[in-house]
Amino acid sequence: MNDTVVPGRGDKGLLRNRVVEVENLTIRFGDFTAVDGVSFSVRKGEIFGFLGANGAGKTTTIRMLCGLLAPTSGVVRVGGLDFDDGGNGIKSIVGYMSQKFTLYDDLTVGENLDFAAGLRKLPAAAAEKRRAELFGMTGFDRPLTAKVSDLPGGIKQELALAAAMLHDPEIVFLDEPTSGVSPAARARFWGLIRRITAVGKTVIVTTHYMDEAEQCGRIALMRAGRIIALGSPDELKDSAFPGPMAEVDFQGSDPAAPIERLRKAPGLLALSPHGMRWHAAFSEGALMDAALSALPVSVRVRKIKPSLEDVFIRLAGGAQ
Amino acid sequence: MTSFSPHRAFAVARKEVMHILRDPFTLALALGLPVMLVTFFGYAIDFEVKDIRLAVYDRDGGPAARRLKEIFSASGYFRPVEPEAAAGPIGMLDSGRASAALFLEPGFSRTIKGGGEAPAQFVLDGSDNSKAAAVAGYLPGIAGAARLRLSGPGGGEPFYAETRFLYNHELNSRWFTVPGLSAIIIGLLAILLTALTVAREWENGSMELLLSTPVRPLEIMAGKLVPYGVLVLAGVVFVYLSSRLVFGVPFEGGHLLYLAACVLFITAALSQGLLISVLARQQQVAMQFALITGLLPSMLLSGFIFPVESMPRFFRALTMLLAPRWFMAAVRGITLKGADLSELSEPFLALGLLAAGMLALALKKFKTDLEP
């Protein structure tokens, strides 16, 4: 399962557009290998997502790419720079927004942005111009004198993004940017991400929301420090489920016996519960039809397209 | 590679000042502690011992005995209480109804009158160490006065012992303690406030934001230490002004020298706070560490309350490694004795070494902690 095909690596023409290149990246903390021989590259203007459970190594990978952690071994090149100077070169050309809300609650919007500008040594006029641009893009309409602690969660995230992008970085790293905000705010934030990439910037984002992963150009699926699959959402679905998939709804009848029979059906690739229903994937349509027709008549069956969640469960082993 | 940017350090400092102005706890601590300590030590706590209850067992009843009693009560240190025959002197001391007892044997007055030496026995409750020491200090003075007055002018040149206290003639305990309060304020405020500031950044995740920018550890450190250094220095100025204006404490030495001692000690204390913050990373833990390593040495091992000279050998050796002890020595030397740098070379050298050592240690730990 680990030798999953990695689609999308063959297009050599895009080589010069690669703004992030990572080869065999490994980091160990004592005996624990948090990231284990990871290789991938990210193209300019792409939304590149890391999907995986907590502890899969997403955040650690991103932190190495931002110059926050030194890799134990492997090559990191971000915007043509490597880690040789302790990450300081990388830090000055990327923007990073961490999982936790990292602005200061007791300071105002303006003070937080001024601080970010000060750390980046931006001249006041440039910072002000850039702030206006970012506010225009994000639709941020709170006064500069508003205290950050008074802002709602989604607005805070937008402000944190503005602070991370004040120095106009070409590459923006977002580590679970929407954790803890409302669904509406999440949707708005992803609209923002698409607007950022529309002007040619690259966004690298981690998430464990499947619906967010669907919006990425490409996704690296991580488990236990390794990338177990990489590709666009459709490519991942196609490679994980080459055949058709059906949703099986037992409508209240006892599923135990039919599920047992279904498990032994020829051509079954995957069978997993989704709430009250089950998803069954087969290698071929004919084999699926045969297996499903053997189910009791009370069971309702319909063909579905696999979701990224199915892919994730199949490749990352679900809860195991 | 390590290019220190004053611009970035200033950005950190400005942000830190805004934190201080917004945080009621920091402000209250920084402004309230000096006021509280000065009031407390200046008014409430008095290390001078007065009105010691003295039970006089006068078995003589003569004129000399009466006069001796008057001398004791006129000294202001003693207040005679009625001796209880039933309880006896030891009983009175045991029950706390008296702290000292004076025995005058029959024939006391007669011997004095005859020009001889008459013994008077003085019994003192030694269970309160500091009180006993103070009383023992008063005795020679009283004995001298008694000798002078009892033997009379006719007895030729009277001999008496006199203890003279240099530098603080009145042995005014406020002169001694109030200047020393700057040690407590620096030791507590500087260590506690810096210990909290870095731990707070770790706790709420804003350290990530700092580290994701090109800001260098040295810039963060400078930006954090300078505002708190100024804040603590303001507390020292408050102690200085209140000790001069309210308590009339003399200031014999040079102000620049005093400032230098403060700056050295503040540097050592801020560095210690930073070190704690880096090690603890949590405000709760940092606060406890800061209180233990900040307040206790300043209070107990600096000579502020207990003289270093009378400590057990181990603690005396330990104080050599503690900046508060040297700062206290320097401050008292400057304020009360008017000592100059050459006379205070030892405490200044020690303070300088400790400050430099602590700063280097904090910086090293801070750097290795922050750098990837």
Side-chain angles (χ1 to χ4, degrees):
Chain A
M1 213 144 91
N2 283 340
D3 55 356
T4 319
V5 284
V6 180
R9 289 196 88 195
D11 26 21
K12 299 275 186 217
L14 293 166
L15 198 67
R16 64 197 170 85
N17 274 336
R18 289 180 179 173
V19 289
V20 173
E21 282 177 279
V22 171
E23 267 169 58
N24 264 320
L25 184 64
T26 299
I27 189 167
R28 283 187 205 96
F29 302 112
D31 287 340
F32 174 65
T33 306
V35 174
D36 191 1
V38 161
S39 300
F40 62 92
S41 61
V42 181
R43 293 187 288 262
K44 184 172 160 56
E46 196 173 16
I47 303 179
F48 189 92
F50 281 99
L51 182 65
N54 286 335
K58 305 182 304 260
T59 298
T60 311
T61 304
I62 276 215
R63 297 187 76 215
M64 283 191 280
L65 296 182
C66 294
L68 279 165
L69 275 176
T72 310
S73 64
V75 179
V76 172
R77 288 186 75 77
V78 177
L81 299 173
D82 52 29
F83 200 81
D84 285 353
D85 64 343
N88 279 320
I90 293 178
K91 283 178 186 176
S92 56
I93 58 160
V94 305
Y96 170 67
M97 186 178 146
S98 90
Q99 210 164 337
K100 272 184 160 183
F101 177 70
T102 50
L103 298 184
Y104 298 97
D105 262 342
D106 54 335
L107 303 188
T108 66
V109 170
E111 287 164 349
N112 266 296
L113 292 176
D114 285 349
F115 178 53
L119 292 181
R120 300 284 184 181
K121 295 206 267 190
L122 297 182
E128 206 169 310
K129 184 165 167 281
R130 180 75 188 139
R131 191 176 66 205
E133 269 173 41
L134 286 166
F135 279 7
M137 186 179 76
T138 56
F140 187 92
D141 56 357
R142 307 284 165 143
L144 284 175
T145 51
K147 223 172 171 187
V148 166
S149 55
D150 298 334
L151 302 177
I155 304 283
K156 280 187 184 179
Q157 293 303 93
E158 288 172 18
L159 180 63
L161 181 66
M165 293 188 64
L166 208 56
H167 57 300
D168 206 7
E170 284 306 309
I171 309 161
V172 184
F173 291 91
L174 308 172
D175 191 7
E176 297 197 6
T178 56
S179 61
V181 306
S182 72
R186 269 175 55 198
R188 205 168 58 236
F189 198 85
W190 272 85
L192 203 54
I193 292 177
R194 282 193 296 275
R195 256 172 282 156
I196 294 170
T197 51
V199 294
K201 306 212 181 281
T202 309
V203 171
I204 297 175
V205 58
T206 71
T207 182
H208 50 232
Y209 292 114
M210 301 297 163
D211 61 324
E212 291 186 357
E214 294 272 6
Q215 303 185 52
C216 296
R218 284 189 304 150
I219 305 159
L221 202 60
M222 287 197 78
R223 188 184 64 180
R226 293 173 189 231
I227 293 181
I228 55 173
L230 196 156
S232 70
D234 284 340
E235 285 168 338
L236 288 183
K237 290 170 193 170
D238 288 347
S239 71
F241 301 104
M245 176 180 268
E247 183 189 72
V248 182
D249 186 349
F250 289 92
Q251 305 206 78
S253 65
D254 181 15
I259 285 294
E260 242 356 271
R261 275 203 303 283
L262 209 50
R263 260 190 224 290
K264 294 182 192 116
L268 183 87
L269 284 180
L271 181 65
S272 59
H274 288 250
M276 300 299 289
R277 296 169 185 150
W278 292 73
H279 289 186
F282 288 83
S283 55
E284 284 171 44
L287 289 171
M288 179 168 90
D289 293 342
L292 295 180
S293 59
L295 288 167
V297 280
S298 66
V299 175
R300 207 163 64 192
V301 171
R302 81 189 165 96
K303 273 195 157 188
I304 55 167
K305 277 192 60 126
S307 67
L308 267 183
E309 190 165 358
D310 293 307
V311 175
F312 186 70
I313 290 169
R314 174 150 164 73
L315 297 183
Q320 300 150 32
Chain B
M1 177 212 133
T2 44
S3 53
F4 182 87
S5 156
H7 191 275
R8 285 192 296 245
F10 176 72
V12 177
R14 196 179 49 177
K15 178 208 70 141
E16 216 58 43
V17 169
M18 288 184 289
H19 282 319
I20 294 172
L21 296 179
R22 300 273 158 81
D23 180 23
F25 173 74
T26 306
L27 265 186
L29 196 66
L31 301 178
L33 189 79
V35 176
M36 202 187 78
L37 284 178
V38 165
T39 316
F40 200 60
F41 282 94
Y43 288 112
I45 295 188
D46 196 344
F47 290 106
E48 288 171 82
V49 182
K50 280 177 185 148
D51 290 337
I52 296 160
R53 288 185 301 279
L54 176 72
V56 181
Y57 287 82
D58 181 4
R59 305 226 178 90
D60 174 65
R66 269 201 310 281
R67 217 171 305 152
L68 186 63
K69 277 191 277 182
E70 280 161 23
I71 290 167
F72 265 94
S73 56
S75 71
Y77 302 132
F78 298 97
R79 180 161 54 84
V81 293
E82 207 48 48
E84 297 168 19
I90 304 303
M92 287 191 75
L93 291 185
D94 276 352
S95 66
R97 285 194 296 276
S99 300
L102 180 67
F103 293 93
L104 299 172
E105 295 300 321
F108 179 81
S109 298
R110 198 166 2 102
T111 316
I112 297 277
K113 205 175 176 193
E117 285 236 330
Q121 192 185 7
F122 190 80
V123 179
L124 183 62
D125 178 3
S127 62
D128 184 341
N129 190 22
S130 59
K131 198 190 267 182
V135 175
Y138 302 146
L139 277 181
I142 291 175
R147 219 168 288 176
L148 176 65
R149 284 184 53 190
L150 294 181
S151 52
E157 197 62 25
F159 168 81
Y160 59 92
E162 188 195 36
T163 310
R164 272 188 62 206
F165 293 95
L166 295 175
Y167 312 124
N168 185 356
H169 307 278
E170 299 173 22
L171 273 189
N172 186 327
S173 69
R174 281 175 197 134
W175 287 17
F176 201 54
T177 46
V178 175
L181 282 180
S182 48
I184 309 289
I185 284 164
I186 296 172
L188 185 61
L189 266 189
I191 293 177
L192 186 60
L193 294 180
T194 40
L196 291 182
T197 161
V198 184
R200 189 164 49 214
E201 303 257 12
W202 283 118
E203 228 173 68
N204 68 22
S206 44
M207 195 55 104
E208 284 271 308
L209 172 87
L210 285 176
L211 297 184
S212 69
T213 72
V215 68
R216 308 289 199 276
L218 195 63
E219 293 156 3
I220 301 181
M221 191 158 151
K224 281 195 170 290
L225 295 194
V226 169
Y228 286 104
V230 171
L231 191 65
V232 172
L233 208 53
V236 172
V237 169
F238 173 79
V239 170
Y240 169 80
L241 289 178
S242 54
S243 65
R244 294 298 305 278
L245 302 178
V246 181
F247 299 105
V249 177
F251 193 94
E252 307 284 350
H255 285 84
L256 266 180
L257 198 61
Y258 183 64
L259 183 68
C262 289
V263 168
L264 282 179
F265 184 40
I266 289 174
T267 306
L270 291 173
S271 309
Q272 188 179 335
L274 191 67
L275 194 63
I276 290 171
S277 218
V278 172
L279 294 176
R281 287 200 178 192
Q282 287 168 11
Q283 294 192 71
Q284 275 288 321
V285 181
M287 187 186 282
Q288 283 164 10
F289 257 99
L291 283 177
I292 291 171
T293 65
L295 189 59
L296 291 188
S298 293
M299 255 329 205
L300 302 179
L301 295 176
S302 64
F304 176 64
I305 297 178
F306 307 113
V308 173
E309 294 73 27
S310 58
M311 286 178 193
R313 186 190 296 270
F314 168 76
F315 285 102
R316 214 161 57 220
L318 183 66
T319 62
M320 306 283 254
L321 297 171
L322 301 173
R325 173 236 160 108
W326 298 112
F327 177 70
M328 194 69 77
V331 163
R332 284 187 175 149
I334 295 165
T335 53
L336 296 177
K337 293 189 209 169
D340 59 24
L341 186 58
S342 62
E343 291 162 295
L344 293 171
S345 57
E346 196 184 54
F348 265 91
L349 190 68
L351 260 185
L353 284 176
L354 287 171
M358 197 60 95
L359 188 66
L361 194 64
L363 184 59
K364 184 167 176 283
K365 191 76 197 139
F366 194 57
K367 274 186 82 165
T368 52
D369 214 47
L370 296 195
E371 274 176 356

